[in-house]
């Protein structure tokens, strides 16, 4: 989608107008009579397309929420794409319109326009090609063109980063194997100026990353440890990101039911989010040193598959009793977190589609944030809210930790109770974060928002790029 900044609107474009439901009677609403006849109430997700005057109205119930403009814009562009207009011009009736609102609107338009059509034999292309930002709105508030250009740049980078994650999550297990994910990482790193190191199973053996190795053992597609680096001069902080990259998860010998295997291409969403974030950080050239570590593997079945009852020795020497081979993501992350701690991070964040229990706790749209530092958790939730993502915290407690005890090893890879599974998984991961970094570390369970069967907010059905906007905003706030 092309973006242009204009002073005046041409007559053959579709004009987008946001309307607060309480302002339907406002004198500046040119088409109030037509809207009444259409029974347009200005509710969220409600649109009214007036072809005779080339205007598209979209409702917003709460203008105090910046994200309302983001989601309304996504709703609007889905409607506009069904028409034969080639240009959508953004207008707004909000007297208190700010650059923050304008930025949210543009993000919503770009993110809402996303489609994944790679495997469609017939693809109807939309006529809509351009989004026009007006320097002047209906209250004659004029925006500086340089400021608008900055918004366009930022929004474009966000959309690029999220699209990278979405496309990879939506891609099939045949297309995105661990080797293919590594190759894609190398390609993007070269394009944006990141350093990229790819390590194979020999490196994992040499570095005693036996938990990671065990998960990948039965697959014909060998594992890869991917390490991306953004290394500015005189960085203010060092941030290390770790992403779970299960390019496919059959459950291993603890085989998933057939229905539960469908959509398991999404189990790489944490790693895909890390890749998207790294590209955005490089585009912005932030003065923060950032490392992106992706543990890429397939969890399959075979004669050499790891088994329930096995005991694995992780990179830090801790032993893990395997009680369920479908609790594999935490095993890959365990070794990756030990590797990450060797980089001496100021902040360490891991992202993973880790547990169905987190979806039970928070629903499909919200990321579960866990860790030991209350202020850090608060700041991450704040970054999520600023970016338009949903996040909530889940609390560790000593009683739940008892559920991952093992009689024959240091710990079990799954809790002895079905309850509190998201938290016990997070506490399992904490065993592989050096204690001196506990206050610097957060675990983000994105199992709920990373992939959905239907569109919601700015997201189409499928991969959403969950975590990309949130973590990027957090790092930007550090800069």
């Amino acid at each position: 989608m092309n973006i242009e900044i204009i002073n005046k609107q041409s007559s053959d474009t579709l004009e987008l107008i946001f309307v607060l439901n309480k302002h339907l009677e406002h004198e500046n609403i040119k088409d109030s009579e037509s809207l009444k006849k259409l029974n347009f109430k200005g509710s969220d997700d409600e649109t009214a397309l007036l072809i005779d005057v080339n205007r598209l109205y979209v409702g917003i119930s709460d203008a105090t929420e910046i994200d309302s403009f983001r989601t309304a814009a996504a709703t609007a562009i889905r409607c506009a794409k069904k028409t034969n207009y080639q240009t959508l011009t953004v207008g707004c009736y909000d007297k208190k319109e700010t650059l923050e609102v304008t930025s949210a609107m543009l993000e919503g338009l770009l993110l809402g326009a996303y489609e994944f059509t790679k495997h469609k034999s017939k693809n109807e292309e939309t006529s809509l090609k351009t989004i026009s930002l007006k320097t002047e709105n209906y209250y004659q508030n004029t925006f500086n063109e340089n400021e608008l250009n900055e918004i366009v740049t930022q929004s474009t980078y966000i959309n690029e980063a999220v699209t990278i994650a979405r496309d990879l999550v939506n891609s099939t297990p045949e297309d995105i194997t661990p080797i293919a994910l590594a190759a894609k990482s190398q390609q993007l790193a070269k394009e944006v100026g990141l350093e990229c190191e790819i390590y194979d199973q020999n490196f994992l053996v040499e570095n005693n990353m036996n938990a990671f190795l065990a998960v990948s053992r039965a697959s014909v597609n060998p594992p890869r440890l991917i390490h991306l680096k953004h290394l500015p001069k005189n960085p203010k902080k060092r941030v290390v990101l770790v992403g779970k990259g299960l390019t496919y998860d059959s459950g291993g010998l603890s085989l998933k039911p057939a229905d539960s295997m469908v959509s398991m291409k999404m189990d790489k969403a944490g790693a895909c989010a890390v890749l998207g974030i790294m590209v955005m950080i490089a585009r912005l050239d932030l003065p923060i040193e950032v490392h992106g570590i992706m543990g890429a593997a397939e969890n399959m079945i075979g004669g050499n598959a790891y088994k329930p009852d096995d005991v694995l020795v992780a990179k830090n020497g801790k032993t893990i009793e395997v009680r369920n081979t479908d609790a594999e993501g935490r095993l890959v992350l365990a070794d990756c977190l030990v590797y990450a701690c060797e980089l001496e991070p100021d902040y360490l964040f891991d992202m993973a589609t880790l547990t169905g229990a987190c979806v039970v706790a928070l629903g499909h749209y919200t990321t579960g944030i866990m860790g030991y530092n209350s202020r850090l958790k608060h700041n991450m939730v704040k970054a999520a809210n600023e970016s338009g993502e949903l996040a909530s915290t889940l609390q560790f407690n000593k009683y739940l930790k008892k559920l991952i005890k093992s009689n024959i090893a240091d710990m079990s890879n799954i809790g002895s109770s079905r309850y509190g599974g998201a938290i016990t998984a997070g506490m399992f991961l904490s065993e592989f974060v050096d204690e001196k970094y506990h206050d610097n570390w957060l675990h983000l369970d994105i199992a709920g928002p990373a992939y959905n069967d239907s569109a919601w907010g700015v997201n189409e059905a499928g991969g959403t790029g969950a975590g990309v906007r949130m973590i990027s905003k957090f790092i930007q706030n550090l800069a």
Side-chain angles (χ1 to χ4, degrees):
M1 194 72 66
N2 299 320
I3 305 171
E4 63 179 9
I5 296 172
I6 61 171
N7 295 320
K8 299 294 180 182
Q9 176 182 336
S10 61
S11 59
D12 59 345
T13 66
L14 181 61
E15 184 177 15
L16 172 58
I17 301 170
F18 296 85
V19 182
L20 308 183
N21 53 11
K22 62 184 179 181
H23 288 172
L24 278 173
E25 303 296 331
H26 198 283
E27 60 183 10
N28 282 314
I29 302 290
K30 299 176 183 178
D31 305 297
S32 57
E33 289 303 315
S34 296
L35 293 175
K36 283 180 184 177
K37 289 176 182 177
L38 290 171
N39 197 30
F40 179 81
K41 300 183 184 303
S43 304
D44 287 334
D45 299 325
E46 187 180 10
T47 59
L49 178 58
L50 306 182
I51 298 293
D52 56 329
V53 291
N54 297 326
R55 283 195 276 272
L56 171 62
Y57 289 88
V58 60
I60 294 180
S61 62
D62 185 1
T64 63
E65 292 288 335
I66 297 296
D67 195 50
S68 295
F69 289 90
R70 190 179 282 110
T71 55
T75 298
I77 203 159
R78 290 178 188 129
C79 178
K81 283 173 63 180
K82 296 174 184 177
T83 72
N84 284 325
Y85 288 97
Q86 294 185 1
T87 302
L88 181 68
T89 301
V90 180
C92 183
Y93 273 110
D94 181 17
K95 263 186 176 178
K96 297 179 181 178
E97 184 179 7
T98 64
L99 290 171
E100 188 178 6
V101 171
T102 303
S103 178
M105 288 192 299
L106 186 53
E107 283 177 29
L109 291 169
L110 293 172
L111 294 170
Y114 175 82
E115 289 181 332
F116 185 76
T117 58
K118 179 179 178 180
H119 301 292
K120 299 268 190 182
S121 59
K122 292 182 180 179
N123 179 31
E124 284 190 24
E125 288 195 11
T126 177
S127 298
L128 193 64
K129 303 297 182 187
T130 303
I131 297 170
S132 294
L133 284 178
K134 291 195 300 182
T135 56
E136 186 178 276
N137 73 1
Y138 286 96
Y139 286 97
Q140 284 73 54
N141 295 326
T142 302
F143 296 103
N144 181 287
E145 197 163 325
N146 290 332
E147 291 175 327
L148 289 180
N149 276 317
E150 287 181 16
I151 288 172
V152 170
T153 299
Q154 173 85 4
S155 299
T156 302
Y157 289 163
I158 289 172
N159 183 59
E160 178 190 21
V162 172
T163 296
I164 287 167
R166 286 174 169 179
D167 281 350
L168 287 169
V169 169
N170 287 329
S171 295
T172 67
E174 184 178 14
D175 287 344
I176 302 297
T177 62
I179 290 175
L181 183 58
K184 183 67 174 179
S185 300
Q186 284 179 314
Q187 174 205 327
L188 289 171
K190 186 175 181 180
E191 289 177 8
V192 300
L194 292 166
E195 291 188 19
C196 181
E197 295 175 352
I198 307 295
Y199 300 108
D200 63 12
Q201 57 268 47
N202 294 323
F203 177 88
L204 302 184
V205 171
E206 292 166 6
N207 286 270
N208 300 312
M209 301 176 83
N210 300 302
F212 189 163
L213 276 166
V215 173
S216 65
R217 207 161 64 198
S219 175
V220 297
N221 294 303
R224 290 293 184 267
L225 177 66
I226 304 162
H227 185 168
L228 295 170
K229 304 175 186 179
H230 171 67
L231 303 174
K233 293 181 180 178
N234 303 314
K236 295 181 178 180
K237 296 288 182 182
R238 179 181 296 138
V239 178
V240 180
L241 310 176
V242 176
K244 172 187 171 184
L246 267 292
T247 58
Y248 192 72
D249 178 21
S250 70
L253 293 180
S254 304
L255 195 65
K256 293 178 183 287
D259 288 348
S260 298
M261 280 195 221
V262 177
S263 78
M264 275 299 104
K265 62 184 181 180
M266 56 81 73
D267 220 14
K268 58 184 178 291
C272 298
V274 168
L275 181 52
I277 294 164
M278 292 302 297
V279 168
M280 181 169 175
I281 298 305
R283 292 284 196 207
L284 293 171
D285 195 21
L286 294 179
I288 306 294
E289 181 178 327
V290 186
H291 296 258
I293 297 162
M294 294 170 269
E298 274 192 341
N299 186 25
M300 302 297 286
I301 59 173
N304 63 337
Y306 80 118
K307 309 168 186 69
D309 286 341
D310 279 350
V311 173
L312 309 175
V313 183
K315 180 172 169 56
N316 64 351
K318 291 189 177 181
T319 58
I320 307 162
E321 179 189 2
V322 178
R323 289 184 184 166
N324 189 321
T325 64
D326 196 22
E328 85 301 326
R330 64 199 71 183
L331 299 177
V332 172
L333 287 174
D335 280 335
C336 288
L337 284 167
V338 178
Y339 176 88
C341 286
E342 294 173 354
L343 299 171
E344 301 182 346
D346 294 307
Y347 296 97
L348 172 59
F349 306 132
D350 73 76
M351 284 180 287
T353 48
L354 205 63
T355 66
C358 196
V359 188
V360 172
L362 298 175
H364 276 293
Y365 312 116
T366 304
T367 293
I369 297 177
M370 287 160 260
Y372 293 100
N373 187 324
S374 296
R375 181 176 293 278
L376 186 56
K377 287 187 286 186
H378 170 80
N379 288 340
M380 185 60 74
V381 172
K382 179 174 178 286
N385 292 336
E386 290 173 353
S387 72
E389 293 199 54
L390 298 172
S392 185
T393 59
L394 296 171
Q395 300 300 316
F396 288 165
N397 72 69
K398 61 183 180 182
Y399 301 105
L400 284 175
K401 188 172 183 178
K402 295 176 182 178
L403 299 180
I404 58 172
K405 286 183 66 176
S406 167
N407 292 327
I408 63 168
D410 295 332
M411 71 202 80
S412 168
N413 78 323
I414 196 167
S416 57
S417 167
R418 63 183 293 190
Y419 301 109
I423 298 172
T424 55
M427 298 188 83
F428 174 90
L429 293 178
S430 73
E431 295 293 319
F432 303 92
V433 177
D434 193 300
E435 193 168 340
K436 65 183 177 182
Y437 297 118
H438 272 191
D439 278 347
N440 307 59
W441 165 71
L442 291 179
H443 162 55
L444 280 67
D445 193 329
I446 58 173
Y451 190 94
N452 247 286
D453 291 329
S454 57
W456 59 282
V458 299
N459 304 295
E460 287 302 312
T464 65
V468 171
R469 290 181 287 152
M470 182 193 324
I471 297 287
S472 296
K473 175 59 72 173
F474 184 97
I475 296 173
Q476 284 180 280
N477 288 344
L478 293 178

